[in-house]
Amino acid sequence: MSVLVYTESDQGTLKKGALEVASYAKAVADKLGTSVTAVTINTNNTSELAKYGVDKVLNISNEALQAFNAKIYADVIKQAAEKESSQVVILSSSADSKYIAPLLAVNLNAGYASNVIEAPSSTSPFTVKRNAFTNKAFEVSQINTEVKIIGVSSNAFGLVETSGEASAEDFSPSILESDVKVQSVDKVTDKVTIADADIVVSGGRGLKGPENWGMIEELADVLGAATACSKPVSDLGWRPHGEHVGQTGKPVASNLYIAIGISGAIQHLAGVNASKVKLVINTDPEAPFFKAADYGVVGDAFTVVPELIEKLKAFKANQ
Amino acid sequence: MKILVCISHVPDTTSKINFTDGDTKFDTNGVQFVINPNDEFGLTRAMWFKEKQGANITVVNVGGPETEPTLRKALAIGADAAIRVNTEATDGFTVAKQLAKVATDGNFDLIIAGRESIDYNGGMVPGMIAGLINANFVNNCIGLEVEGTTTTATREIDGGKETISATLPLVIGGQKGLVEESDLRIPNMRGIMMARKKPLTVAEPVESNPETTSVKFEKPAPKGAVKLVSEDNLDELINLLHNEAKVI
Ligand SMILES: Cc1cc2nc3c(=O)[nH]c(=O)nc-3n(C[C@H](O)[C@H](O)[C@H](O)COP(=O)(O)OP(=O)(O)OC[C@H]3O[C@@H](n4cnc5c(N)ncnc54)[C@H](O)[C@@H]3O)c2cc1C
């Protein structure tokens, strides 16, 4: 009967998002008066999960699962859900989890609510609040099926520490065959990615050209942040497409979003509004972004950003 | 090759989002509806296959008669036929079941859907179709080639991209990148005239109990005013980010 949570890892190490979904699963389990089982795939160290409310860990170690394959992963998680007779299965909002969840929903004949931002307000009927209309509204959604799947929006629930122990169990599900094969992966590995970042530093057309991105990267470096950009910037080829955020680009749900030389068009805001705190640096005091921002500096990026970098370096050195 | 392109009929991206009936229904008043942007990239990629290597394109939408202009637009862009499954698109799973039925009945090789629609943002329909018809599935697809029954797809991943091979039948959740934005098509007069003669079939839905139900909608609380910091006082900005917002 336990709540099942799929906790993702990257090269054997649990992702930060894994701890957040574990925290969420604990909140659901408390409401249902049951325990939390985490299923992990090829994770070296799962001890941290206990701190976030996990009672039991099913660790699957299998070479055949080294490369991500949504269909096979969904099948493995289904087997774990069946083993635990789980009525609720929880995943994150990472690209991989969003790839798995609909396949898992079909496997378990379960209703699936994605982009969920709060613990269920009721478990009978089972209702959750989720982001919809590209962050312009919330939908309160009721899941009617016996088994329920929830995708938790990044940084929405946060990390909740508790104390407890977790038992570990090896789990060896059967592995499907699939003719979906990864041929090559082209990844910039030494950088924080937009999906994982607590802070995102984003530049717009106001930066005038690709040669001016040095200061954006430096600011991101100082803050341990990921870099991003507005759509015209990637369309113009100043920055790679993977950095384009907004409604038609990547969604951003970081703790801090710094928008530099970005006007704040509705399509841009739609994709970044899920960020908790927004700082805008723009020469134009009428730029629409100031209406959506928490903090703002009306000023020229070319003077403000270098100064901010120096001041942040000094601040970090004193920490 | 037979291609099915799933078309979601969504409020134009600049629409004001409001609700009626005690916040239980989306207010369509004054809202212009368009082809979901992610689907538009998919439709254009399908047109590329049609023109470069020969393919027949059917577009499909699950929805009431009010969605037909959106399907007609897809026909004007160049799809060969359209199907409207005559039921309200209330939840993702139900929509996927309807589309899976159309996909099976029509024996489609390639099913192109958008990674998510910009209204409910469920991000579940393409994967569910694939699960229901037991086809291969590539999500966040930003590139696609087909040769015989073999496909090579590029998928966006965190911090990069991945190239995948898979055989048909294949379902993709497509997005920007499948084609260049400059290649997106605007229907011309000839296309619009021809679209009138193309078949738009209305299919009756398969029975389905909704797996999820929208209970109500809420709008975010109005935002407080921005705190402006002078560019001569960036220490204060750092202080606010550290002590007030607690984000650095
Ligand atoms: C269907 C559709 C989908 C879209 N999806 C997206 C999306 O996902 N993401 C997205 O970003 N856009 C999207 N757009 C585009 C969007 O409408 C805007 O065109 C875009 O966000 C503008 O980018 P920008 O703010 O960088 O550029 P601009 O609008 O050119 O604004 C540049 C800003 O920089 C400021 N500036 C100039 N010089 C300086 C300086 N020296 N220092 C500081 N500030 C300066 C200016 O005051 C201005 O506010 C979409 C549009 C459509 C129609």
Side-chain angles (χ1 to χ4, degrees):
Chain A
M1 259 304 283
S2 59
V3 169
L4 190 78
V5 56
Y6 169 55
T7 48
E8 265 180 74
S9 56
D10 184 21
Q11 294 173 18
T13 307
L14 285 172
K15 288 194 182 180
K16 185 192 139 222
L19 307 178
E20 186 173 22
V21 284
S23 305
Y24 187 94
K26 169 71 175 157
V28 177
D30 283 350
K31 279 194 172 250
L32 293 170
T34 181
S35 58
V36 178
T37 301
V39 55
T40 69
I41 298 175
N42 292 330
T43 305
N44 301 329
N45 183 350
T46 60
S47 60
E48 229 185 331
L49 290 172
K51 227 168 53 189
Y52 297 92
V54 171
D55 300 289
K56 180 161 122 187
V57 182
L58 296 179
N59 191 18
I60 305 168
S61 301
N62 194 317
E63 261 306 300
L65 300 175
Q66 236 17 298
F68 174 77
N69 181 305
K71 190 171 175 177
I72 300 177
Y73 275 41
D75 185 62
V76 161
I77 298 168
K78 172 199 170 196
Q79 293 177 57
E82 284 173 350
K83 176 177 148 52
E84 297 294 303
S85 319
S86 300
Q87 306 281 295
V88 183
V89 182
I90 293 164
L91 297 94
S92 76
S93 283
S94 73
D96 285 355
S97 281
K98 281 191 156 177
Y99 194 174
I100 295 170
L103 298 169
L104 183 63
V106 171
N107 283 347
L108 292 170
N109 205 5
Y112 165 45
S114 58
N115 308 325
V116 170
I117 53 168
E118 285 173 7
S121 53
S122 145
T123 53
S124 173
F126 202 96
T127 42
V128 284
K129 191 171 178 176
R130 55 185 300 277
N131 275 326
F133 296 94
T134 332
N135 301 315
K136 287 189 264 185
F138 306 112
E139 180 192 27
V140 177
S141 182
Q142 178 178 317
I143 310 181
N144 306 319
T145 45
E146 201 175 315
V147 181
K148 290 130 187 114
I149 300 181
I150 297 178
V152 184
S153 200
S154 307
N155 284 323
F157 190 75
L159 302 179
V160 184
E161 280 196 40
T162 107
S163 58
E165 302 270 303
S167 61
E169 207 176 289
D170 285 332
F171 177 51
S172 307
S174 62
I175 310 285
L176 281 182
E177 288 289 317
S178 163
D179 77 350
V180 175
K181 295 259 166 5
V182 174
Q183 304 288 327
S184 64
V185 178
D186 177 3
K187 199 168 171 176
V188 191
T189 42
D190 58 335
K191 292 234 170 125
V192 192
T193 63
I194 295 168
D196 285 334
D198 286 329
I199 303 179
V200 173
V201 178
S202 191
R205 197 149 52 181
L207 285 167
K208 317 268 191 294
E211 67 281 4
N212 297 324
W213 242 264
M215 63 182 188
I216 298 289
E217 290 186 323
E218 200 180 341
L219 179 57
D221 270 351
V222 177
L223 292 167
T227 53
C229 67
S230 68
K231 181 168 169 292
V233 165
S234 74
D235 287 348
L236 288 161
W238 297 356
R239 297 297 290 178
H241 276 296
E243 282 199 5
H244 150 209
V245 297
Q247 182 171 55
T248 50
K250 279 213 171 73
V252 179
S254 56
N255 284 328
L256 173 62
Y257 182 73
I258 306 180
I260 302 167
I262 301 178
S263 59
I266 192 161
Q267 300 88 356
H268 186 87
L269 292 179
V272 304
N273 259 343
S275 286
K276 290 230 176 70
V277 175
K278 292 176 260 325
L279 163 65
V280 169
I281 300 170
N282 198 308
T283 39
D284 175 9
E286 300 299 323
F289 220 138
F290 283 115
K291 292 207 174 63
D294 301 278
Y295 302 101
V297 178
V298 178
D300 190 331
F302 295 97
T303 55
V304 175
V305 175
E307 199 184 325
L308 186 59
I309 292 169
E310 290 318 310
K311 290 200 182 287
L312 277 168
K313 277 185 183 160
F315 165 79
K316 292 272 173 189
N318 283 331
Q319 282 289 293
Chain B
M1 180 165 54
K2 284 186 75 178
I3 307 177
L4 182 67
V5 184
C6 307
I7 301 283
S8 185
H9 164 87
V10 297
D12 166 41
T13 134
T14 56
S15 303
K16 291 260 180 296
I17 304 297
N18 290 306
F19 303 99
T20 56
D21 292 13
D23 287 335
T24 58
K25 290 220 155 51
F26 175 64
D27 183 1
T28 55
N29 228 322
V31 170
Q32 193 176 346
F33 283 83
V34 295
I35 299 176
N36 184 43
N38 289 315
D39 306 352
E40 207 178 344
F41 288 107
L43 176 61
T44 310
R45 190 65 197 168
M47 285 301 295
W48 187 94
F49 286 122
K50 176 174 163 168
E51 286 158 8
K52 294 288 189 312
Q53 51 194 68
N56 183 282
I57 306 171
T58 300
V59 287
V60 61
N61 168 267
V62 178
E66 71 283 359
T67 71
E68 286 189 7
T70 300
L71 282 175
R72 287 273 175 221
K73 185 174 169 200
L75 290 172
I77 287 172
D80 301 291
I83 300 172
R84 177 174 67 80
V85 182
N86 189 25
T87 184
E88 209 188 326
T90 47
D91 84 295
F93 212 145
T94 306
V95 169
K97 283 183 192 166
Q98 306 303 338
L99 295 171
K101 170 84 168 35
V102 172
T104 313
D105 288 352
N107 235 329
F108 288 94
D109 306 295
L110 175 65
I111 295 136
I112 299 180
R115 76 159 186 218
E116 70 175 21
S117 63
I118 62 168
D119 49 3
Y120 291 92
N121 307 111
M124 62 183 84
V125 168
M128 285 177 170
I129 300 172
L132 289 164
I133 66 172
N134 199 20
N136 285 327
F137 173 46
V138 175
N139 207 14
N140 297 101
C141 189
I142 52 171
L144 183 67
E145 303 289 341
V146 181
E147 239 189 273
T149 57
T150 309
T151 68
T152 308
T154 316
R155 171 172 98 83
E156 190 171 83
I157 55 172
D158 284 350
K161 57 188 180 184
E162 189 175 83
T163 307
I164 294 170
S165 67
T167 50
L168 296 174
L170 174 74
V171 181
I172 65 160
Q175 61 182 57
K176 183 191 164 206
L178 265 181
V179 294
E180 290 299 325
E181 194 166 87
S182 52
D183 289 336
L184 291 177
R185 317 215 171 166
I186 299 161
N188 57 23
M189 208 22 124
R190 186 163 166 268
I192 294 166
M193 297 305 284
M194 278 170 62
R196 293 197 184 144
K197 297 200 194 90
K198 291 179 180 172
L200 193 162
T201 318
V202 178
E204 283 315 307
V206 287
E207 225 184 294
S208 159
N209 289 321
E211 277 80 3
T212 58
T213 330
S214 269
V215 183
K216 65 176 167 96
F217 298 97
E218 289 170 16
K219 297 232 282 184
K223 253 202 65 58
V226 57
K227 265 194 191 163
L228 288 179
V229 180
S230 154
E231 58 178 317
D232 305 321
N233 196 5
L234 296 179
D235 287 319
E236 174 61 8
L237 179 65
I238 293 174
N239 174 38
L240 286 168
L241 293 175
H242 181 62
N243 291 314
E244 188 179 78
K246 299 191 172 18
V247 287
I248 61 167

